[in-house]
Amino acid sequence: MTYLDNTDVAEVLRAAQDNLWLHFTRHGAHAGREVPTIVRGEGAYVWDIHGKRYLDGLAGLFVVQLGHGRSELAEVAAKQAQELAFFPLWSYAHPKAAELASRLAGLAPGELNRVFFTTGGGEAVETAWKLAKQYYKAVGKPLKHKVISRQIAYHGTPQGALSITGIPAFKQAFEPLVPGSVRVPNTNYYRADEITGVPGMTEEQYGRWAADRVARAIEMEGPDTVAAVFVEPVQNAGGCFPPPAGYFQRLREICDEYDVLLVSDEVICAFGRLGTMFGGQKFDYVPDMITCAKGMTSGYSPIGAMIAHERLFEPFKNGTEMFAHGYTFGGHPVSSAVALANLDIFEREDILGHVTRNEPVFRATLDRLRDLPIVGDVRGAGYFYGIELVKDKDTKETFSADESERVLRGFLSQALFEAGLYCRADDRGDPVIQLAPPLTCGPKEFDEIESILRSVLTDAWKLL
């Protein structure tokens, strides 16, 4: 079927070309050709304006955990909008935000009991840094304001979150940014030899080395000046870097030793993406703050949150101290209602169990691609994987800038989409393909992903 119901297809495509400013998009790539336009979704699939079907191998943008077309979530949104469409959380509460805060506090590890709502992940990261700064001022440590994050890590686009982001190309156009952000090595074990300069480390040795670089950075900056460390359970940018065994346990020790807050940025990794409700639970660590968004509503309405340990709320509990920060649409009644319904479905359909049971199947299916000469590494966890592409498997030689431009952007992205798979071909770091399908997928969808990747990557190899 085509998308024609009372819609002028040509007019939609014209408006997309002439009026819509797309995010993170080279508009020059669409010059002379129409902007791909997605009009509906059902389960793990989406359809474009011409009626062609694609497997959503990225869950929209690591978002649509329960799949597309869940009428129950749409109905909950409509009902809440009729009852109370909007009211702010500025000195007032409304039932759905309060209920959702309680639900999230109950699901979060340790004493992470205080939920500050935002409308997205970047805002949650911004909130966490601002809270860290003010908290230390309130407890008599006013110099503690710096943050440490990992190389190539992405933490959002607001000025503070962008400062924490470790991708130079994303930052240069907007500098000067917020001062006080320091970078340390990430957990890319595939590239451990070149990162450390010490060949042959075991995964555990590399994890300890990488964590100890955080301690060294704190010492170099001065412990009295460092407020927080921001890390993702599985780092997204660079291509799904999982933590080596023991990495987070060592990081927790370091943060406790130097009185530095450990912030777990789980905008992607929370809400089942790794098979646990929160990403830290997958790797057995308890942070001081969690930032989250995306999967909280499976994308059916925008919401995000910063979840803080109870002790971080103490300075604001009594007296006149105020966290002078907020967002008009944070904890929106409709979004809060949808999030609660989304979590209900998680429980009813045992989504976490489904991901945990199928994680080995997904990994094994993607591992079949290792026989291709262009595939250097397959890594990740849960339903969140990266496939690193190389020119030489033995030496791990990566693409040149010209080859990335020609093969990754010039061919792979478009070829995968034309073959019926929506995913991400990226080179923030080394060239990778990222996969994060809806959490309802199973072996049938995994096989379809592998089949399309095998065909397109075989063609891509011929271009090198």
Side-chain angles (χ1 to χ4, degrees):
M1 71 178 252
T2 56
Y3 183 68
L4 295 173
D5 301 341
N6 300 315
T7 301
D8 185 331
V9 172
E11 179 58 23
V12 170
L13 294 174
R14 184 210 61 76
Q17 186 69 257
D18 295 350
N19 304 113
L20 189 60
W21 198 326
L22 301 172
H23 299 206
F24 282 100
T25 300
R26 293 182 177 183
H27 276 264
H30 295 307
R33 64 169 75 168
E34 67 180 44
V35 177
T37 303
I38 303 301
V39 299
R40 71 181 185 94
E42 186 67 36
Y45 296 90
V46 294
W47 283 259
D48 70 14
I49 200 165
H50 302 297
K52 183 176 177 180
R53 189 184 80 162
Y54 306 85
L55 175 57
D56 184 356
L58 208 62
L61 195 62
F62 317 104
V63 171
V64 190
Q65 315 295 62
L66 297 181
H68 300 273
R70 289 274 187 165
S71 58
E72 176 182 342
L73 297 180
E75 289 162 3
V76 164
K79 182 175 182 294
Q80 180 59 44
Q82 291 174 333
E83 186 174 293
L84 180 67
F86 175 77
F87 210 80
L89 296 179
W90 300 44
S91 300
Y92 295 86
H94 55 78
K96 294 304 180 186
E99 187 182 343
L100 179 58
S102 176
R103 185 87 166 263
L104 293 174
L107 293 168
E111 295 182 61
L112 277 78
N113 299 329
R114 293 290 173 170
V115 181
F116 189 102
F117 286 116
T118 68
T119 59
E123 291 176 356
V125 170
E126 197 85 356
T127 300
W129 191 4
K130 289 178 75 173
L131 175 59
K133 287 181 176 181
Q134 187 171 350
Y135 168 76
Y136 279 118
K137 286 180 173 62
V139 298
K141 298 184 177 182
L143 296 180
K144 290 177 82 71
H145 69 284
K146 296 175 185 174
V147 296
I148 294 170
S149 62
R150 300 185 295 202
Q151 291 164 353
I152 317 176
Y154 175 81
H155 291 286
T157 56
Q159 293 279 292
L162 186 58
S163 298
I164 300 171
T165 290
I167 307 170
F170 282 8
K171 302 159 65 126
Q172 290 164 356
F174 310 108
E175 291 175 330
L177 296 170
V178 180
S181 182
V182 179
R183 224 68 59 230
V184 294
N186 57 49
T187 58
N188 182 3
Y189 181 62
Y190 183 66
R191 299 284 176 185
D193 287 3
E194 59 193 84
I195 292 172
T196 64
V198 182
M201 278 190 179
T202 66
E203 193 167 332
E204 290 75 14
Q205 287 171 332
Y206 178 64
R208 176 71 182 224
W209 180 91
D212 283 345
R213 299 289 78 72
V214 175
R216 180 169 294 183
I218 293 171
E219 291 162 0
M220 290 293 290
E221 293 298 319
D224 289 344
T225 72
V226 180
V229 175
F230 281 72
V231 285
E232 298 162 277
V234 174
Q235 183 176 314
N236 168 39
C240 303
F241 303 144
Y247 173 82
F248 275 112
Q249 287 67 40
R250 176 62 182 144
L251 201 54
R252 180 71 270 179
E253 290 175 358
I254 290 166
C255 289
D256 290 342
E257 179 181 353
Y258 293 106
D259 187 22
V260 170
L261 302 177
L262 178 55
V263 182
S264 191
D265 184 353
E266 305 193 8
V267 172
I268 289 175
C269 291
F271 306 110
R273 182 53 55 192
L274 305 182
T276 49
M277 190 56 73
F278 290 101
Q281 293 164 329
K282 175 82 169 182
F283 303 111
D284 195 27
Y285 70 93
V286 179
D288 299 297
M289 285 186 263
I290 292 172
T291 57
C292 56
K294 294 185 184 290
M296 196 189 307
T297 63
S298 287
Y300 284 71
S301 192
I303 197 169
M306 182 279 299
I307 308 174
H309 191 286
E310 185 67 28
R311 81 176 188 282
L312 302 182
F313 182 73
E314 287 298 323
F316 308 95
K317 203 168 187 175
N318 300 298
T320 60
E321 190 79 20
M322 174 181 67
F323 186 33
H325 175 66
Y327 299 100
T328 299
F329 296 110
H332 191 280
V334 173
S335 296
S336 298
V338 173
L340 287 164
N342 183 58
L343 293 172
D344 287 342
I345 297 174
F346 262 76
E347 292 181 10
R348 191 169 70 235
E349 298 185 7
D350 188 24
I351 296 297
L352 300 182
H354 177 79
V355 172
T356 300
R357 289 187 296 272
N358 281 280
E359 176 182 10
V361 183
F362 191 25
R363 179 170 204 122
T365 304
L366 295 178
D367 274 338
R368 298 203 302 254
L369 296 167
R370 288 180 181 271
D371 67 345
L372 297 177
I374 198 173
V375 173
D377 194 26
V378 177
R379 56 181 177 252
Y383 274 31
F384 186 33
Y385 281 91
I387 300 169
E388 183 166 335
L389 308 180
V390 294
K391 285 200 302 187
D392 188 308
K393 290 167 80 86
D394 294 329
T395 65
K396 303 181 182 178
E397 183 183 0
T398 192
F399 294 3
S400 67
D402 175 69
E403 287 162 341
S404 275
E405 191 68 35
R406 180 166 47 84
V407 179
L408 202 69
R409 299 188 194 90
F411 172 75
L412 264 176
S413 293
Q414 185 67 22
L416 287 166
F417 191 65
E418 289 176 354
L421 176 62
Y422 165 71
C423 61
R424 170 185 271 175
D426 193 18
D427 67 342
R428 292 173 296 175
D430 296 299
V432 294
I433 292 173
Q434 283 186 290
L435 298 157
L439 306 185
T440 50
C441 288
K444 172 180 170 291
E445 290 82 11
F446 303 157
D447 285 340
E448 186 176 349
I449 289 171
E450 190 271 346
S451 176
I452 293 173
L453 285 172
R454 178 171 294 277
S455 173
V456 174
L457 289 175
T458 299
D459 291 339
W461 176 250
K462 299 171 186 175
L463 299 176
L464 286 172

